[in-house]
Amino acid sequence: MTDHEELPLADKLALGKLSYLRQRSLGGTRYRATGQLWLQVTPRYLHWSRPSVFDLHLESIRQRLVAFEQLAKRRDPGAGDAWQAVVAAVDLLLADARQRVGHRIRPRRT
């Protein structure tokens, strides 16, 4: 049997909100919730633990969001691929969390 980490409460709550956003808003092709995603991955807004074991993932998501927004502003056709990279980075964070805790991250609204 493998040992699973006990995450800080702040990380558990933040992961639940991010999972909810991923499930509800990030998969669509028409509406891209970049503003909401920025709020979810910014430690000042959503209180991730400091330091968090997910800091590298959060930074990766922020970098991909910047790249997407730059392409979208210029109406570059590559913006769709950049958005898929953002969603993949969120999925990677949630997969890492799932592996750390040993079960699926339950989406939560609040």
Side-chain angles (χ1 to χ4, degrees):
M1 184 150 170
T2 61
D3 292 329
H4 299 293
E5 289 182 41
E6 182 64 29
L7 295 176
L9 179 61
D11 284 350
K12 286 181 185 178
L13 294 174
L15 285 166
K17 286 183 145 190
L18 186 61
S19 179
Y20 180 77
L21 179 67
R22 171 61 179 101
Q23 178 181 339
R24 298 280 300 187
S25 302
L26 299 184
T29 56
R30 299 184 125 207
Y31 176 69
R32 295 182 173 137
T34 57
Q36 280 295 329
L37 186 55
W38 270 116
L39 293 175
Q40 301 297 324
V41 299
T42 303
R44 290 182 308 272
Y45 174 76
L46 193 62
H47 301 285
W48 292 86
S49 63
R50 301 283 10 123
S52 174
V53 294
F54 302 109
D55 282 341
L56 292 175
H57 288 294
L58 294 171
E59 184 59 33
S60 172
I61 294 169
R62 287 190 292 265
Q63 288 173 355
R64 285 175 170 74
L65 270 172
V66 167
F68 164 73
E69 288 179 339
Q70 289 171 346
L71 292 171
K73 223 181 258 188
R74 295 190 313 239
R75 298 182 190 268
D76 190 299
D81 292 336
W83 180 252
Q84 291 307 314
V86 170
V87 173
V90 170
D91 289 343
L92 189 61
L93 184 148
L94 292 173
D96 183 29
R98 185 175 29 250
Q99 183 179 10
R100 287 176 186 272
V101 298
H103 57 80
R104 181 177 78 88
I105 303 301
R106 191 170 144 229
R108 62 179 348 139
R109 291 177 84 169
T110 57

